[in-house]
Amino acid sequence: MTTPDQRRVDVRPRVVMLVGNFIDGDSRVQKEARSAAEAGWDTYLVGRSRSGKREESKSGEVTILRPAESMAATKYRTYHPRRSGVSGLIAYSTVELGKVKHQRQRIRQSNLAVERELLSRRSADGLNPAAKLVDEAMLAAKSLGVKAAGYWISARKQALDHNYNIVQDSPSTSLERLLVRRGGEGAVWNAQPRLVDFEDSFGRAADELEPDLIHANDAEMLGVAVRAAARARARGRTVKVVYDAHEFFAGDTRDNPTWAPAMAAQEAKYLPLADAVMSPIEGYAEAMVEFHGIEKFPGRKAPVLVKNMPALADLAASGDDVPGVRGALGLADDVPLLVHPGSVTKVRGLQTVVEALPELDGVHAALLVGRRDGYVAELVTMAEKLGVSDRFHLLDYVPSEELTAYLRSATIGIDTLLHIPLHELTITTKFWSYISAGLPVVASDVKATSQLTRELGNGEVYTAGDVTSFVEAARKVLKDPAAYTKAYSEETLRQYSWEGQAETMLGLYREVTGKG
């Protein structure tokens, strides 16, 4: 770790990039950090620690720091479920307390057997009949007490479990959701306690590293960055903040109903104190301007677009002999192969692909996934029922710098988003990877993606969620893939590469700090 004393000797400007994930699967922040370091910035990429302990390592010229995390606020909310209805009157207040009471009850029940045996031995040794009668009566009364306590403990434990299950199904109350939508800080922190935990760990790291610039990735890091900059100013140091808005939360529809409004509330409060805003998606930038009125902030312009595109340097470094996804599956060159890297959830629309496989004779589909349970397992079961499990494949993620080369051997890249407000604004990272890999695409008709697909002529668009429409689009592309890949000129590939995006980001750094 570079100490503050060493820092005064090092004249390079320092940027601290904060990201509320484990870094490993986040291609955007990895490329941002690498580009900043290559441009001469003393670069720290700060993310979460899987061990909960402080971890520090190097990736090229980038220092990767994962600060120690207690996650105390998150654990407290998890293990202190709110009390609901009649059961809330008798339920134990915490999961730990319920476990302790249950353990003690088991000991009491075991002790009864021991006391019966002791009484039996005393009787065999000639215990006075009157004393024996008294001891038996006392043991019978104690047994009844233990039995009654068992019923009471069981009832309280069941009430606790009931409350816990309610929280899993409905993680917030109507009142809490209302307070979060109104932007109350206390309500936001209570509903999303990891914001408190992140301040405890990431805020300390930002103070310790004494940066010139904090690059806050996503809204959960925005407040952390702004508060760290305010503390630095109070100590006489100037720290600038760039907010990297990966998502437009006003259009988010997650299972947790307080997540999106909590993040939107964070943006509304802290955006006026950020020195600049950047975003990977044009639709996000436009929506943020309208939703938050960014252009009304003193001296503020619209968010700068820095799209999460593949790096040409990574593709060049991989060479031409990478077996890639086709080699991993052992498929011949003439076998049609659809590929989809990235998150797999219901709103990603991949059920359409599985249901289409029976109609696409001989066509294989491969998903690159981070985990194989949950909805991924449901898709596997669906493929088995449809008799296409031999053509539906799961593969592990590959490092982001290897992804483009890995995809090149596929036939078609698929982008299957369903219609939700967030998706209408989105052009996914995988779409840029398909372009760099030279793959034609089959994309759903969500607004931004379908418009670009038609503009480039690099694929076919189908009606989101419609199996027949997907089959028709896939057949068109499979009939003549080269007709679509001719859209990928050298100029197009340069236009849609990370190298050009990185220069935009670095220009913003220079504009904000006057350094670099």
Side-chain angles (χ1 to χ4, degrees):
M1 171 68 66
T2 303
T3 66
D5 286 339
Q6 291 171 319
R7 169 86 201 295
R8 285 192 287 268
V9 176
D10 190 343
V11 296
R12 291 180 300 164
R14 176 174 291 181
V15 58
V16 170
M17 298 180 172
L18 305 179
V19 57
N21 60 37
F22 298 105
I23 298 175
D24 300 330
D26 195 326
S27 64
R28 179 175 177 83
V29 299
Q30 291 176 36
K31 286 182 290 193
E32 287 173 340
R34 184 175 65 187
S35 295
E38 289 173 351
W41 285 79
D42 183 19
T43 305
Y44 282 80
L45 180 52
V46 183
R48 295 195 59 192
S49 167
R50 295 187 187 278
S51 68
K53 300 177 181 179
R54 183 187 178 98
E55 302 169 6
E56 189 170 335
S57 60
K58 295 287 286 189
S59 177
E61 294 299 313
V62 177
T63 302
I64 296 177
L65 174 63
R66 295 177 172 92
E69 293 181 89
S70 68
M71 300 303 286
T74 300
K75 289 176 182 176
Y76 183 87
R77 183 173 173 96
T78 300
Y79 293 110
H80 291 70
R82 67 177 184 273
R83 300 187 176 194
S84 177
V86 176
S87 65
L89 299 176
I90 65 170
Y92 289 117
S93 59
T94 71
V95 173
E96 294 93 337
L97 181 58
K99 288 180 179 178
V100 169
K101 293 290 187 180
H102 184 67
Q103 288 170 341
R104 289 180 179 176
Q105 176 63 12
R106 290 179 63 188
I107 294 175
R108 292 190 190 98
Q109 291 170 338
S110 296
N111 270 338
L112 285 175
V114 172
E115 292 184 27
R116 290 190 187 99
E117 185 174 334
L118 289 172
L119 179 58
S120 176
R121 289 190 180 186
R122 289 200 305 273
S123 298
D125 291 340
L127 181 66
N128 180 285
K132 178 182 177 182
L133 187 63
V134 171
D135 285 354
E136 287 177 341
M138 291 178 64
L139 183 56
K142 187 172 185 179
S143 296
L144 286 173
V146 170
K147 189 173 184 180
Y151 285 127
W152 178 237
I153 290 170
S154 178
R156 297 190 71 186
K157 178 68 165 56
Q158 288 178 14
L160 171 67
D161 292 342
H162 175 69
N163 289 342
Y164 187 81
N165 291 332
I166 287 176
V167 170
Q168 307 315 303
D169 296 335
S170 179
S172 58
T173 64
S174 298
L175 176 61
E176 186 175 62
R177 291 194 290 272
L178 173 63
L179 294 174
V180 169
R181 285 194 297 271
R182 292 174 63 87
E185 200 86 80
V188 167
W189 290 339
N190 188 56
Q192 296 298 329
R194 66 177 179 175
L195 292 174
V196 178
D197 292 321
F198 286 163
E199 174 65 25
D200 184 52
S201 53
F202 288 79
R204 291 174 189 270
D207 292 344
E208 172 191 335
L209 294 171
E210 295 190 333
D212 298 291
L213 173 67
I214 301 177
H215 182 148
N217 288 278
D218 275 328
E220 58 195 4
M221 288 297 146
L222 178 57
V224 176
V226 167
R227 288 188 292 269
R231 290 192 297 271
R233 283 193 294 273
R235 294 192 296 268
R237 294 185 60 254
T238 298
V239 177
K240 299 294 186 178
V241 174
V242 168
Y243 173 46
D244 194 342
H246 295 191
E247 301 181 62
F248 175 54
F249 293 102
D252 201 337
T253 57
R254 301 188 187 215
D255 292 336
N256 187 325
T258 63
W259 174 253
M263 295 304 103
Q266 291 288 286
E267 286 184 337
K269 177 168 185 174
Y270 295 111
L271 266 175
L273 296 175
D275 296 284
V277 180
M278 53 187 269
S279 175
I281 304 294
E282 188 168 1
Y284 291 172
E286 294 170 353
M288 286 179 66
V289 169
E290 180 178 353
F291 187 75
H292 292 298
I294 290 176
E295 75 283 355
K296 298 177 184 177
F297 299 162
R300 179 63 50 78
K301 61 182 180 180
V304 174
L305 281 173
V306 179
K307 299 176 182 178
N308 189 22
M309 295 176 174
L312 293 178
D314 291 337
L315 185 60
S318 66
D320 297 322
D321 299 325
V322 178
V325 60
R326 187 175 296 274
L329 296 173
L331 296 179
D333 291 343
D334 61 347
V335 175
L337 174 60
L338 314 179
V339 69
H340 179 282
S343 177
V344 177
T345 60
K346 289 185 179 180
V347 294
R348 300 279 174 164
L350 288 158
Q351 177 175 335
T352 306
V353 180
V354 179
E355 292 177 338
L357 284 179
E359 305 298 321
L360 294 169
D361 208 23
V363 175
H364 290 242
L367 311 186
L368 276 61
V369 298
R371 51 190 300 176
R372 305 193 179 199
D373 57 356
Y375 187 61
V376 175
E378 291 180 30
L379 294 178
V380 171
T381 301
M382 184 185 304
E384 291 171 350
K385 290 180 179 178
L386 293 173
V388 294
S389 57
D390 60 327
R391 294 189 285 122
F392 180 67
H393 310 282
L394 301 180
L395 294 169
D396 294 330
Y397 281 155
V398 298
S400 60
E401 65 271 16
E402 300 174 12
L403 180 60
T404 300
Y406 191 78
L407 297 177
R408 273 191 302 194
S409 59
T411 312
I412 295 176
I414 53 176
D415 203 349
T416 53
L417 299 178
L418 298 182
H419 288 291
I420 64 171
L422 192 64
H423 289 171
E424 303 302 327
L425 305 174
T426 301
I427 296 180
T428 62
T429 302
K430 67 177 64 65
F431 192 92
W432 308 127
S433 294
Y434 296 154
I435 292 177
S436 291
L439 295 181
V441 302
V442 170
S444 68
D445 61 348
V446 291
K447 183 178 179 181
T449 305
S450 61
Q451 285 179 348
L452 183 57
T453 301
R454 291 181 174 121
E455 177 185 326
L456 292 175
N458 67 330
E460 290 290 338
V461 174
Y462 73 97
T463 303
D466 188 312
V467 175
T468 301
S469 180
F470 179 88
V471 169
E472 291 174 354
R475 284 174 175 165
K476 285 182 182 178
V477 178
L478 289 170
K479 186 176 181 180
D480 187 8
Y484 300 92
T485 57
K486 67 183 182 182
Y488 300 143
S489 64
E490 288 187 15
E491 180 181 351
T492 301
L493 293 176
R494 283 196 303 272
Q495 180 182 356
Y496 295 108
S497 71
W498 172 252
E499 281 76 4
Q501 302 301 307
E503 186 49 48
T504 301
M505 179 191 79
L506 295 168
L508 186 62
Y509 281 12
R510 290 189 293 270
E511 179 182 337
V512 167
T513 66
K515 300 177 180 180

